[in-house]
Amino acid sequence: MNDRQVDGTHYVALAIQPWEAMAAWMTPEEFRGYLLGNAIKYLARRKPGVPRRTDLQKAAHYLEKLIELTE
């Protein structure tokens, strides 16, 4: 999951990805909330009509990470 990024490489190129840092600084419950909040953010970022494909892919990426934590 950490070796993939939607729309760019600015996080993948870092030694520590931001969500790895967030996971270290937050409780597991807080981190799950962070992931869910970001998924909601990307689903809500749209103009009237259908959300941009990239926003849907970013939301899915956060949801995939959240699902990974529940397995």
Side-chain angles (χ1 to χ4, degrees):
M1 182 62 54
N2 292 341
D3 61 346
R4 180 172 69 87
Q5 180 181 337
V6 176
D7 196 30
T9 58
H10 47 283
Y11 294 134
V12 176
L14 297 174
I16 297 176
Q17 286 198 23
W19 69 13
E20 292 173 323
M22 297 297 239
W25 295 330
M26 297 176 164
T27 66
E29 182 179 4
E30 290 170 335
F31 185 58
R32 287 190 302 271
Y34 161 77
L35 295 171
L36 181 59
N38 274 292
I40 291 168
K41 171 185 73 174
Y42 285 115
L43 289 172
R45 279 178 43 175
R46 64 183 183 96
K47 303 203 184 308
V50 179
R52 290 182 329 147
R53 178 180 174 87
T54 304
D55 289 333
L56 292 174
Q57 291 170 323
K58 288 179 180 182
H61 194 219
Y62 278 97
L63 289 173
E64 289 167 4
K65 182 67 172 177
L66 182 58
I67 290 166
E68 178 183 288
L69 295 177
T70 63
E71 294 176 343

